[in-house]
Structure formats: C-alpha cells, structure tokens
Amino acid sequence: MDFTSRPFALRALVAALALLFTTSLPALAGGAPQPGSAPAKPSAQAPESTIAQDMLPQLSALPRPTLPSFAQLDRLLADTPLLHEAQAMRQAALQNGQALRSGTQEFTGQAQVQQRRIDAPPDNGNYAEWQVLINRQIRLPSQAQADNRMADALTTSANAGLIGARQQLLTDVLAAWFAAQRAQAEAALAQQNLGLMQGQVHALQRRKALGDASVLELEQMQAEEARAQSALLLAQGLASSSRAALEARYPALAGDTTLSGQAGSTAQLVLPDQPADALRALVEQNSATLARDRAALQQAQAKAGQATAARTPQPTVGAYVGADRGGRERIIGLQFAMPFGGPARVSTERAALAEVDAAQWRLRDAQALTLAEFQRLWATAQSQAAGAKAMDQAAQVQIQASVRMLRAYQLGEAGISDWLLARRSALDAVRQALQSRFDAAESAALLKLQAGLLFDASSSAAVMPAANPVQPQ
C-alpha cells in the first residue's frame, strides 16, 4: 500500500473499529454477549430513564417520611412517667381547689372544768364548776369568691401543665422518630447503591475476561464498590443506633420494626394551607407556654383577690354554756371575736398585686417569644419545603449528567474515573434530596403540632386534646 492510499486505509480502519465497538461492546450493566447469541444493544442507545435506573438509586424507590402509628402514640402517652406526673399534679390541684371551695373554717370546741373554794360564810365550801364553748370563724362572701377563683386558677394551671407535658413529649417523639426514619432511609439508599455497584463490578469482570476492559478500569470499579460497602456499614450503624435510642426512650414505638409509621400519613407532612395570620392565631391559641403563663397570671390575680379580701379580718363567733357554784348558777352566752387588721395585711396585698404585674409582663414576653418562634419555624418550613423540591430537581439534573458521562465513557470520549466522579456527584445529590425531604417533613410536622393541626379527633383523640386557654382578666 502506497502513501497515496493512506487516508483511505485510515478511514477503513476507523470504520472497522466502530463496527467492532458497536457489535462487541456490551452495556456496562448488561455483561458480555454469549456465543451464538445476538450482539448486545449498546447502552448508549437505551433510554436515559432505563440507564439511570440501572446505574443509580431512585428517589421514588426510597422510603418516605411518615408519622408514628397513632395506636402506638396512644400507648406511649398512657405509659409515659412525665404524663403520669402531670396527671397526678392535676388531681392534686383539683383536691386543693375543692379544699379552697369548702373553706378551712372549722368548728372549735373547748371544755373547761374548775374547782372553786369559798372560805367566807355564808357561801363557804368547795364547788365544782364547768364550761363548754364552741366557736367558728366566719368566711365573708368576698373571701369565698376569692377562694373560688383561686381554685379555678389551680385547675387551669394543672391543665396547662398536662397539655404542655403532652406537647413536649410529642415534640421529642417526632424529633427522635424522624431521625431514626432518616437514618433508615439513608441505609436503604446505601444498600441500593452497593447492589448496583456490585452488578457493575460483575459486568466489568465479564468484559475483562473477554478482553474488552482493562485491569485499571476493574480496579477503579472495585474501589468504588469498596467505598459503597463502607458507606453502607456506616449508614447501617447510624440507623441501628438511632433506632435503639428511639426504642429505649419510647418502648411503645418498638413494635414498628420497619419504622413504616401510620399508613397514609405522608400527605399530612406537608405545609398547612392556611395563611400565616391564621396559623399564628392557632399557634397562640394552642401554645403550651402561653397556656402556662396565662394560668400563672390567673393564679396571681386570684392570689391578689384573696389578699384584698383578707384585709377585712374574719370574725369568730361562738356559744357557751356552763355551771358555777356546784350548779347553783347556770350560764349561757355568746362569743364574738374580731381581729384588727394591721399593716401586714396591706403589705401582703401590695406584694400580690406586684406579682400580678410581673405575671402580666412575663405573659407579654412569652407572647413575643412565641411569635418569634412561629416566624422562625414558618420561614424554616417554607424554605425547607421549597428546598426539597429544588433538591429533587437538582438530583434529576445530576442523574442526567451522570448518564451522559456514562455515554461518553462507553463511546471512549471519557475515562471511567470521569464517569465514577459524575456518578458520585449524582449519588450525593440523591442523598441530599432524601435528607431535605425528611427535614421538610419534620418542620411541617412541628409547625402543625404547635398549631394543633397534626393530630385531630379522627386520628387519635388521646394524642393532643384541644387547649382551652384562659384569657387574662
């Protein structure tokens, strides 16, 4: 062959190599063709969705966040020591309130026996004498009304404590639940990734046996498999520890071995459709902190009312009978005692009124903090919901880029390290999208919990009773 025919020879050689590439190069995931079988269709001609499913875990196949089972939450609330303590305190408040309504004024009985001796006539002699007295303090109507208001305030405070304990428990349960669910989902992602990488390694080993892949490519793929194996072990360890912590703290949730949660509760983990002003009003109405501070203000006001009523002392009235000179004289009488109010009663009233003023300022501060916390949680939930959607789109774009890099590798336009790097970036995008999905669900759940929208009567009546805060007077 002379030099004049060299361009033609080069073109023929390129055509032959291209024909050999299209007929003998198998898809990276498909393996080598068997003798006597039809040539494998190159993966470069396969749809991108099919290639993506073969190369990377799909978000649609990964676990989605759910709420804990409502039946398990009921058992958890029934067995939690903190709630039993709050219920006991509520019972104590009811009994203390009943004591205030009944009043502490009781009848007091007295008996007196004496011996009288008279030495001068004509009544000289020894005489046995006795006297029986019964008396009782009288509670004035203003004092009875003040005591009744204090009894109501004690009951309201105990109810606020019970609601606060339930809300705090549910907040902690949701945080631990989503942490365990997120760790389990990441372990599932790592498991799927390892399975896909093992399939790629096996396919590349078959290609190497046919002389269609180099040792360097196989070693790089095996290193990536080892990386996936390490990531799986770490993810499984984190999932196990998170689940163990969840079950140790909340044994009632141990029955859900897969952390699947309440069926159909995924739809509840979205942002509420109410406007911000309506949500803020719901949060203020259902806030356990505000309910506690309102009850404290009501209690301070009732205490001030008691101090004001106590400035008028309670009189003591009684009756007595007796016998003098051995029964020769019979005595029947009435008794009345009235203490004079001193400056201590005035100081007690002023101190109670100062406590009312402090409780009012404390309630205003709590309202400002509640509003700030709502604004923070509302903004966080909105941003995380939007971020989750953006991360889903970013993951899809990164997966498409990884698929195109795979095509370039199959066509010899890029090395396997380039494709593995693109695949790693796509896997990180999928992991971030999975994490952002759980973050958005947790923020939405906490926002709905504070607004009283997460658990309703149709789901679990014992989970979150409706708060009935007492407005300050």
Side-chain angles (χ1 to χ4, degrees), residues 70-90:
F70 299 144
Q72 291 176 336
L73 283 178
D74 285 338
R75 290 194 297 270
L76 175 63
L77 292 173
D79 298 337
T80 301
L82 184 62
L83 288 185
H84 282 289
E85 177 190 359
Q87 290 170 352
M89 294 302 298
R90 181 176 181 272

Side-chain angles (χ1 to χ4, degrees), residues 35 41 97 142 144 210 238 244 290 378 463:
K41 186 177 181 180
S142 60
L210 295 174
L238 180 59
L290 291 183
W378 173 243
V463 171

Side-chain angles (χ1 to χ4, degrees), residues 3 25 43 68 84 119 128 176 210 236 241 273 310 314 321 343 407 459:
F3 291 100
L25 180 61
S43 61
H84 282 289
D119 295 331
L210 295 174
Q236 288 177 338
S241 62
D273 53 2
Q314 294 181 348
V321 295
R407 292 180 182 273
S459 60

Side-chain angles (χ1 to χ4, degrees), residues 82-83 86-87 89-90 93 152-168 285-299 464-470:
L82 184 62
L83 288 185
Q87 290 170 352
M89 294 302 298
R90 181 176 181 272
D152 294 337
L154 292 176
T155 302
T156 302
S157 179
N159 289 334
L162 180 58
I163 292 174
R166 290 187 178 187
Q167 193 174 69
Q168 183 61 48
Q285 179 182 354
N286 293 277
S287 172
T289 302
L290 291 183
R292 179 196 62 199
D293 289 340
R294 291 189 187 105
L297 175 58
Q298 182 184 2
Q299 193 169 346
M464 193 62 192
N468 186 19
V470 177

Side-chain angles (χ1 to χ4, degrees), residues 102-107 134-144 147 309-310 312-318 335-339:
S102 300
T104 58
Q105 295 77 17
E106 298 174 340
F107 287 96
I134 185 170
N135 59 19
R136 183 179 187 272
Q137 278 189 328
I138 300 300
R139 183 167 61 165
L140 301 178
S142 60
Q143 296 171 344
D147 290 340
T312 302
Q314 294 181 348
T316 301
V317 297
Q335 184 188 48
F336 178 83
M338 183 71 172

